[in-house]
Every structure is written in C-alpha cells, then in structure tokens.
Amino acid sequence: MADDILGFEFPDAEFVFALVSPVGTDTGSIQIALENGLKRFGYKVNTIRISDFLKRFNLSIDLPDDPQYDRVRSRMDAGNEACKQAGRNDFLALVAVSEINKARSLDTTTKLPTPRTKTAHILSTLKRPEEVVALRRIYGAGFLLIGVFATEEERFNYLTNDLNIPANQAQELITRDTGESDPHGQSTRDTFHLADVFVRLKGDTYKKQLWRFLDLLFGNAFETPTRDEHAMFLAYSAALRSADLSRQVGATVLSKDCEVIGLGCNDVPRSGGGLYWPGKDDYRDYARGFDTNESRRDEFIVDVMTRLRPDIPSEERLQKGKELLLDSPMLDITEFGRAVHAEMDSIITCTRSGMSPRGGTLYCTTFPCHNCTKHIIAAGISRVVYIEPYPKSRAEDLHSDAIRLEEHGEESGKGHPRVNYQPFVGVGPRRYADLFSLVLNSGKRIIRKESGKKKNWERTNAMPRVPMLPNSYLQRELIAIGKIEATMKKLGEEEKQHGNEQR
C-alpha cells in the first residue's frame, strides 16, 4: 500500500462524484444508475447525503420530515443558517470532506491516511458554486460534478403529484432554489453550469448518458464526441480568445448539414470585418481601460439621482444610487457596450463567408440575451443549445411567439415552428480534452492499438483515465528525486562492473 500511495500510478484510485440538480428533480434514479455503473468497474460506493449533516448543528430551525413542503423548506433554511454561522458558503461541502476522511485508516509505514481503493463517494446534492470550487481544489481531477436536467414542468409535476405539495408552495420552492438573494443562500442556477457532464432525466436515456461518461472516465478510447459535445467545445474554445472586461462567451454555428460554418466570441469589432486580435492596433475595452456600457449605466444612475434626490451631494449620488437600485432592471442594460456578442459574431461570420445559417444550430456557452435572440430568429436558426444561464435575458418575454424553451416544457407554436432553446447534454467543455484526447489529457496516455491491431478494452480490467493521485506535488517531487538517485546509483554500479570486466 505504501508504494501505491507514494508512486506515480494509482490504478485503483478513488473518485468523488457530486450531483447538482434543481429542486423537484428525482435524483434517486440517477443515483442508482450511477452506483450500478460504478459497480461494473468493480467499485464500491459510499453515498453521502449532505442535508443529513444539518441535524448535527445547533441550529434554531426545526427539521420535520413531513409534510414534504416543510421538509424541503426547512432544509433550505437550515443550510443557509449553517453557512451563515460558519461564515463560508462551502461549509457543507467541507463537512462532507471530513466525513470521507474520518473513515480512513493510517498506513503503518508512512503514517499517512490511506486511500480507499476502488471506492467512489457520491455527494447529494450541491447547491452553491463555492462548494464546487472547494471540492475541485481538494480532489482535483478526481472530482466529477454531474448536472441533472429536468424541465420546470417535470419538476413541478414531481413536487405536486409525487410529493403532494400544493401548487403555490411547489412554485415557491422552484423559484427560491434557482437563486436566493441571501448571500449565504443556495443558488442552483449558478452551480449547475459548473458540471463536468450534463444528463437529461427523461425516460431511461440518463442511464446510457451516465454509463457512457463512466466508460470514458475509465479509458474507453472508442467513445468519441457527439455532435453537440464537439460543437460546444468549439464554442468554449472560441470564448477563450475574448478579452471582454465582464465575461467570456463563445458560440458556434452548425449548418443544417452539421458542418461548422461560424465561430464567434464577445469582443470589440474592428473596421474591415471581424474582431480585434492582439497587437499594436488593438483597441478593445481593456486597452481603453473601461467598460462603455457600465460607464453609460453609471451616467443614467447619476442622472436619476440628480432629478429625484438633488439633496444628496453630487459626489455621493452614484454610490447611493447603486445601493437604492440594487435589484432594479435598470442595472441590467447591455445596449451600450462596444463588444459584439458571441451569437451575433458567429452569425455574422457565416454571412462574411457566404454560408447560410438557415436551418442550422447555434451552440453558445451562455443563454442568449434578447438582443441576440432577435438576430437568431431573423437568421433562420432552428435550434439553440446553451450551458450557462443568463438571468438578464428577456428573450422569452419578448419572443415567446418565435422561440420555445425546453426548460419550461412548452409545446411548439401553432402555424409555424419555433426556435428550440435546449440545455446542453453531454460531456462538458471543461473535461473534453481529459476524456477524449489520447495524449493531451491530464492523466495517462490512451492507446487504441497494439501491433497494428485494435486494443481491446474491457470494464473488468479498466483503469481510471485521469486518476486522483493521493499524494501532493511536494511528495511527488521527492519521489522523482528518489527515482533519479536510484537510477544514478544503478548506472554507477553498472559502470564499475563494466570497468572490472575490462581489466
């Protein structure tokens, strides 16, 4: 065991999985499918329900098990209170880490806690982005976040029909779970898009999606990206070239024949077509030093405060105005930015190259805003796939006649088809290289053939593609030094022996 812990290879590595899903998602079937899938690789499963920790703390909140509305609501309240008292939003995730650690034994040689070989821990469920960040920092590539998607209609029906929660209370829970104003509150919306893989809870397709993900995780070199996975990765890679001061967004357009005909990101356009690239003639916002949209917004705030509250000193009007208008839609304006949005850029790229986007699919790392949506509709795009939500978008309010959000479970409009907006399903861009590349992943090299013939892959002897190493980089440095010293010693002995033979 000591050699395994201190070595570079660990074929029986642990994994830590976590689920993230909106309230009303029946994650029980997902959990069972994940457990069964892991068992096919010979893994033991340790399931940890994070909400169960709440009863350990001295909170002034009762945690009834019935009726169901009170059960769900009270645990939301208690989770918020626990994070508030701890002063950190990753508190419950750290409690789960403690739970995993306390079950470990100590190695008699190294005196270090030992890994639990071929063990997968499943945490259910995460609700705050800070929890994801903490777990990724602790477990690195061995932490896998699974986003489970179900439409709002499906979740509403589960809460009202299966859990017998009154309709008004069910809607209250759904709205609250999306994102609370409480700084220590849960925000499933901001946590969900951080997932490594996204699965759709519909029929039994989620089983195939989960088991394919596990096959990739354990080195199946013959699972290649789906069309949606590849296109979304291209959108993600396009986003990385953006120097926008606020965010990076990328988009890809596939023709109706599924060929890539457009790529775009959010950045400042240059005369002659396209966007600025780095160089001496780079006039993007970062070069200017400010965001024009935010500057214009601040001017509006000062103007409003000057007209309505002239009693406030002029030097205080901006700050006071921001405080008073904190939740106002006035702060959501986007019309005065210099950057073209990624969706628009990708569509314009099609037109510059003479390719029609009509009937095609647009993939965007973020849900399109209302300005982009009208261009998407006018361009003849038939389908939009996105990952990250964008609460500022008024797309559905303004264009309900022309777009259909799968999230809300609406049927197609009568008389003409609407543009179908769908959440992304599949391996997320952040793990694309790790799970599909043969040589560029952060783990071991994957081989498809031996002696010119296909190398067979079987679940019974499969090893993790990107294992979670149980030692730190400091320990691995010492291991490397030890290997060098042993090799040099061996070479010295061989040279000495060779010299004796020469004599």
Side-chain angles (χ1 to χ4, degrees):
M1 176 63 72
D3 290 340
D4 285 339
I5 295 175
L6 295 178
F8 288 122
E9 299 292 334
F10 196 71
D12 299 332
E14 283 180 273
F15 284 107
V16 177
F17 294 87
L19 304 180
V20 55
S21 61
V23 69
T25 305
D26 182 12
T27 56
S29 52
I30 295 287
Q31 190 167 305
I32 291 172
L34 181 59
E35 291 175 359
N36 289 338
L38 287 164
K39 289 175 182 176
R40 297 197 299 177
F41 293 94
Y43 267 64
K44 303 180 290 294
V45 176
N46 173 36
T47 302
I48 298 174
R49 190 173 182 85
I50 291 179
S51 60
D52 291 344
F53 300 146
L54 298 171
K55 294 183 179 181
R56 300 180 182 180
F57 311 129
N58 186 24
L59 303 174
S60 59
I61 298 172
D62 292 331
L63 296 172
D65 292 324
D66 205 59
Q68 289 299 313
Y69 168 75
D70 291 339
R71 182 185 67 82
V72 177
R73 177 191 53 76
S74 65
R75 282 153 179 79
M76 286 183 176
D77 292 341
N80 294 358
E81 182 62 25
C83 291
K84 181 179 179 180
Q85 288 189 18
R88 53 190 310 153
N89 286 358
D90 59 1
F91 175 65
L92 295 177
L94 297 182
V95 175
V97 171
S98 174
E99 190 77 7
I100 291 172
N101 180 264
K102 76 178 185 181
R104 301 192 187 283
S105 56
L106 291 179
D107 186 273
T108 54
T109 303
T110 66
K111 305 303 180 182
L112 296 171
T114 61
R116 295 174 65 179
T117 58
K118 286 208 167 188
T119 300
H121 310 276
I122 302 177
L123 312 184
S124 177
T125 59
L126 303 188
K127 291 294 184 179
R128 296 167 178 81
E130 295 87 351
E131 296 170 336
V132 179
V133 172
L135 291 167
R136 283 199 172 127
R137 286 177 176 172
I138 294 169
Y139 295 114
F143 172 71
L144 291 308
L145 182 62
I146 300 172
V148 185
F149 169 72
T151 68
E152 185 173 316
E153 181 180 39
E154 291 165 346
R155 292 183 281 116
F156 179 83
N157 290 337
Y158 177 76
L159 291 172
T160 54
N161 297 334
D162 293 62
L163 300 188
N164 199 30
I165 296 176
N168 63 323
Q169 294 179 341
Q171 191 58 55
E172 174 199 323
L173 293 175
I174 289 173
T175 302
R176 177 181 177 183
D177 174 73
T178 300
E180 299 183 272
S181 58
D182 184 340
H184 297 290
Q186 60 187 49
S187 181
T188 302
R189 176 181 59 208
D190 294 331
T191 310
F192 186 85
H193 76 270
L194 301 175
D196 297 286
V197 64
F198 302 86
V199 299
R200 172 73 163 92
L201 185 60
K202 187 176 183 179
D204 63 353
T205 57
Y206 65 89
K207 293 181 182 178
K208 295 178 181 178
Q209 293 164 359
L210 279 175
W211 292 347
R212 172 179 177 266
F213 176 62
L214 292 177
D215 283 354
L216 283 165
L217 191 61
F218 283 92
N220 186 346
F222 304 102
E223 283 285 359
T224 58
T226 65
R227 185 181 301 132
D228 282 4
E229 288 169 338
H230 181 60
M232 188 58 78
F233 178 73
L234 292 177
Y236 178 80
S237 63
L240 300 184
R241 97 164 188 88
S242 169
D244 188 82
L245 295 175
S246 298
R247 59 198 295 137
Q248 291 180 315
V249 182
T252 309
V253 178
L254 261 60
S255 71
K256 60 183 178 182
D257 296 321
C258 300
E259 297 174 332
V260 178
I261 58 174
L263 283 174
C265 72
N266 60 321
D267 220 328
V268 178
R270 61 175 175 83
S271 62
L275 311 179
Y276 282 110
W277 287 97
K280 64 179 181 178
D281 295 326
D282 187 352
Y283 295 106
R284 289 179 285 182
D285 284 348
Y286 82 90
R288 287 189 171 190
F290 64 94
D291 183 330
T292 56
N293 187 74
E294 197 161 328
S295 296
R296 187 60 171 159
R297 184 202 66 189
D298 290 351
E299 290 174 8
F300 287 167
I301 294 173
V302 172
D303 180 68
V304 169
M305 293 299 292
T306 301
R307 293 169 186 269
L308 301 181
R309 294 294 304 274
D311 56 304
I312 296 178
S314 58
E315 66 274 11
E316 298 177 12
R317 288 172 189 168
L318 178 59
Q319 183 59 38
K320 187 64 175 178
K322 286 182 176 180
E323 293 173 2
L324 293 173
L325 298 171
L326 182 61
D327 297 321
S328 168
M330 180 178 173
L331 301 187
D332 294 342
I333 61 171
T334 61
E335 285 73 13
F336 299 97
R338 297 175 66 231
V340 64
H341 288 192
E343 302 93 319
M344 296 183 192
D345 185 35
S346 63
I347 292 173
I348 293 170
T349 299
C350 296
T351 63
R352 284 203 307 271
S353 58
M355 306 295 292
S356 174
R358 185 188 293 273
T361 300
L362 186 144
Y363 297 83
C364 192
T365 57
T366 302
F367 185 94
C369 73
H370 43 277
N371 287 317
C372 287
T373 291
K374 61 188 177 187
H375 290 82
I376 289 168
I377 296 167
I381 298 290
S382 63
R383 177 173 172 250
V384 173
V385 182
Y386 63 92
I387 293 181
E388 186 176 350
Y390 189 57
K392 293 181 181 180
S393 178
R394 299 294 302 279
E396 186 177 21
D397 296 335
L398 297 175
H399 298 288
S400 59
D401 60 312
I403 69 172
R404 170 188 178 270
L405 268 63
E406 184 175 329
E407 160 67 15
H408 294 163
E410 299 177 0
E411 297 299 326
S412 296
K414 295 180 179 179
H416 65 279
R418 290 185 284 177
V419 184
N420 195 17
Y421 278 50
Q422 298 177 324
F424 173 77
V425 172
V427 174
R430 69 178 316 278
R431 298 309 287 263
Y432 188 89
D434 273 348
L435 298 184
F436 292 116
S437 174
L438 299 181
V439 296
L440 294 181
N441 60 65
S442 57
K444 67 186 184 72
R445 184 187 178 103
I446 302 298
I447 299 174
R448 283 179 171 166
K449 67 178 182 179
E450 288 181 331
S451 302
K453 294 183 179 180
K454 172 186 173 182
K455 182 179 179 181
N456 290 328
W457 176 86
E458 297 177 355
R459 295 187 182 95
T460 52
N461 57 10
M463 293 191 298
R465 189 179 197 132
V466 187
M468 178 167 65
L469 298 178
N471 45 32
S472 73
Y473 72 91
L474 297 176
Q475 290 172 306
R476 291 195 291 273
E477 284 180 349
L478 295 177
I479 296 167
I481 292 169
K483 289 181 179 294
I484 290 172
E485 291 176 347
T487 301
M488 296 300 292
K489 182 179 180 181
K490 180 181 179 182
L491 290 174
E493 292 174 349
E494 290 177 351
E495 184 176 351
K496 182 178 180 181
Q497 182 178 355
H498 181 70
N500 291 336
E501 292 174 351
Q502 289 291 326
R503 289 195 293 270

